Amino acid sequence: MKQRSSTKVSLKWIPFLCISFFILGTVFSNRLWIPTIFNDCDTKKKPATDNDEKGEVLKTHEAIESLDKSLATLQIKLAPPGSSQKMKNSDATGAVSTLAGIDSPRKKAFMVIGINTAFSSRRRRDSIRETWMPQGEKLVRLEREKGIIIRFIIGHSATSDSILDRAIDSEDAQHKDFLRLEHVEGYHELSAKTKTYICTAVANWDAEFYVKVDDDVHVNLGKLAALLGRHRSKPMAYIGCMKSGPVLSKKSVKYHEPEYWKFGEEGNKYFRHATGQIYAISKDLANYIATNQHILHKYANEDVSLGSWFIGLEVQHLNIKSMCCGTPPDCELKAKAGNACAASFDWSCSGICRSVEKIKIVHQRCGEGDAVVWSALF
């Protein structure tokens, strides 16, 4: 009986003995399972020092700067071939070129010349066709052999299918030298028209240069092509006769600037920009405008708007006086000296005064000759 009792007592103390040995083991080994987990966490998440935080901030800043530069570079790169069709389908580039179908892929070209014209300027257009602009098969050949595209650029009237639009359709059917723009014509909409022209030209042709010229300016195509050819290696070229005229705040003047207050104190001048009679921009600048067309601000004056779009970019402003010669005797003297002008007009008229009659005289006395453009190397 005593033996059974002692067995029961010893069995009763077994749990207490186990717990005691466990506690003694943890004390001597200095290890508990739960604290071990927290210790591991502590070793993985050490408190950051000031130097570590500064280093992380610097790395983040450098990454942001690198990303900004990459985005800026991408914006001025030529869009991939598939994107040209998307441009054509957008509201700002839905234009029709007679010799370059809207559904055809973009054609390679050396330069695209857009001659700004209006519904009422039929006689001006005819005077250009009779002087410096090739016609018919010669116009097609100039495009095919020399990569020179020339088109009169015009939008449409505010009224759908008006008599004005039908007149242009008829004229285009005869000459096939128009680039129709998705744009409502109006004198105070020249900035929008210029933007639409550039976007439309980019959508239709992959050219090295895009030129805009007014329909009362005389152009020597061979001289202009050779001039631009010397600047092919400059991807951000903005070419023309650079000026910096006064910002006109009075509403009664012709070139009134409604946003004059943006240019500082009264009497200030505009930033340097090419005069609007004729200018050329390189492929990358044209593509920059096409890419960012919806966020580019338009000022009252078209040439000011174009110049403003390039502020902040690494643009090369090339001041070429040959692109703004005067009419005879100025351009005539230069032609006789073997230095024909690329373009001629009267500053007093912002174009050739009475151009319909006078441009023929300018062509006779200052023209380079019809054969020059065909032999020009560029």
Side-chain angles (χ1 to χ4, degrees):
M1 294 292 292
K2 287 182 179 179
Q3 189 174 356
R4 290 182 182 177
S5 177
S6 63
T7 303
K8 289 182 180 179
V9 173
S10 61
L11 291 174
K12 181 174 68 175
W13 287 97
I14 287 175
F16 296 101
L17 290 171
C18 290
I19 294 172
S20 300
F21 286 127
F22 176 77
I23 293 173
L24 288 172
T26 56
V27 170
F28 285 108
S29 65
N30 196 27
R31 279 191 170 182
L32 282 172
W33 182 68
I34 296 176
T36 302
I37 295 175
F38 286 114
N39 287 338
D40 288 343
C41 292
D42 291 340
T43 57
K44 292 178 182 177
K45 296 184 179 180
K46 294 180 180 179
T49 63
D50 291 341
N51 290 334
D52 291 336
E53 291 179 353
K54 289 178 181 178
E56 291 300 320
V57 171
L58 181 60
K59 288 179 181 178
T60 303
H61 180 69
E62 290 174 349
I64 292 172
E65 283 188 339
S66 177
L67 183 59
D68 286 341
K69 290 178 181 178
S70 299
L71 289 173
T73 302
L74 285 172
Q75 283 186 324
I76 61 173
K77 293 295 182 183
L78 185 63
S83 65
S84 63
Q85 189 62 39
K86 293 178 182 178
M87 281 185 177
K88 293 172 188 177
N89 294 333
S90 68
D91 57 347
T93 56
V96 176
S97 172
T98 306
L99 300 184
I102 196 68
D103 294 325
S104 62
R106 294 196 310 161
K107 294 182 179 180
K108 289 282 187 179
F110 172 65
M111 66 175 172
V112 177
I113 302 175
I115 307 172
N116 184 38
T117 192
F119 289 119
S120 59
S121 298
R122 173 64 190 261
R123 294 181 64 204
R124 284 188 178 183
R125 291 190 291 275
D126 285 341
S127 69
I128 287 178
R129 292 179 179 120
E130 293 168 5
T131 53
W132 63 266
M133 181 181 180
Q135 287 296 289
E137 180 56 32
K138 287 184 177 180
L139 187 64
V140 177
R141 181 187 164 203
L142 188 68
E143 177 177 335
R144 183 177 63 249
E145 297 182 10
K146 308 300 287 187
I148 299 177
I149 317 295
I150 309 175
R151 299 286 189 276
F152 289 105
I153 54 173
I154 195 166
H156 54 83
S157 65
T159 305
S160 178
D161 195 31
S162 70
I163 189 172
L164 298 174
D165 294 308
R166 291 198 297 271
I168 294 296
D169 291 340
S170 175
E171 187 179 344
D172 190 23
Q174 179 184 356
H175 296 283
K176 295 180 172 57
D177 55 7
F178 278 89
L179 177 63
R180 302 299 296 273
L181 307 177
E182 196 61 46
H183 166 80
V184 178
E185 285 292 321
Y187 178 77
H188 297 291
E189 296 297 328
L190 288 180
S191 294
K193 183 176 182 179
T194 296
K195 188 198 297 186
T196 304
Y197 155 61
I198 293 172
C199 295
T200 305
V202 167
N204 279 275
W205 296 282
D206 179 13
E208 295 188 46
F209 295 97
Y210 298 84
V211 180
K212 176 256 166 181
V213 60
D214 289 340
D215 62 4
D216 54 358
V217 173
H218 181 269
V219 176
N220 280 322
L221 291 173
K223 180 70 175 183
L224 178 62
L227 186 156
L228 295 181
R230 291 196 291 271
H231 301 290
R232 300 176 88 156
S233 61
K234 300 168 183 173
M236 302 286 281
Y238 176 28
I239 307 170
C241 292
M242 299 295 161
K243 65 175 185 177
S244 182
V247 180
L248 303 176
S249 58
K250 293 183 180 180
K251 293 183 178 180
S252 58
V253 298
K254 182 177 181 180
Y255 297 111
H256 165 62
E257 177 56 72
E259 297 179 272
Y260 62 89
W261 57 273
K262 289 185 177 180
F263 299 91
E265 300 299 324
E266 186 174 351
N268 279 0
K269 292 185 176 182
Y270 288 113
F271 40 80
R272 299 294 280 180
H273 61 277
T275 188
Q277 286 84 353
I278 181 172
Y279 50 75
I281 60 175
S282 62
K283 175 192 297 188
D284 281 357
L285 290 183
N287 193 65
Y288 173 82
I289 292 173
T291 302
N292 298 283
Q293 57 183 290
H294 298 297
I295 59 172
L296 295 176
H297 183 70
K298 300 185 295 293
Y299 288 100
N301 299 304
E302 169 249 345
D303 51 357
V304 172
S305 292
L306 184 77
S308 73
W309 298 338
F310 301 146
I311 291 178
L313 302 181
E314 292 291 343
V315 172
Q316 287 183 275
H317 291 67
L318 302 176
N319 188 24
I320 309 296
K321 293 300 183 182
S322 176
M323 293 177 69
C324 55
C325 294
T327 55
D330 181 38
C331 62
E332 185 177 17
L333 292 173
K334 292 174 180 175
K336 288 180 178 179
N339 189 27
C341 295
S344 303
F345 57 89
D346 296 309
W347 282 103
S348 59
C349 297
S350 298
I352 297 175
C353 300
R354 304 186 308 280
S355 66
V356 173
E357 298 83 16
K358 194 176 177 181
I359 196 171
K360 297 177 183 179
I361 298 173
V362 175
H363 188 64
Q364 292 170 358
R365 296 167 64 177
C366 304
E368 62 188 356
D370 295 341
V372 173
V373 67
W374 302 106
S375 60
L377 300 176
F378 47 85

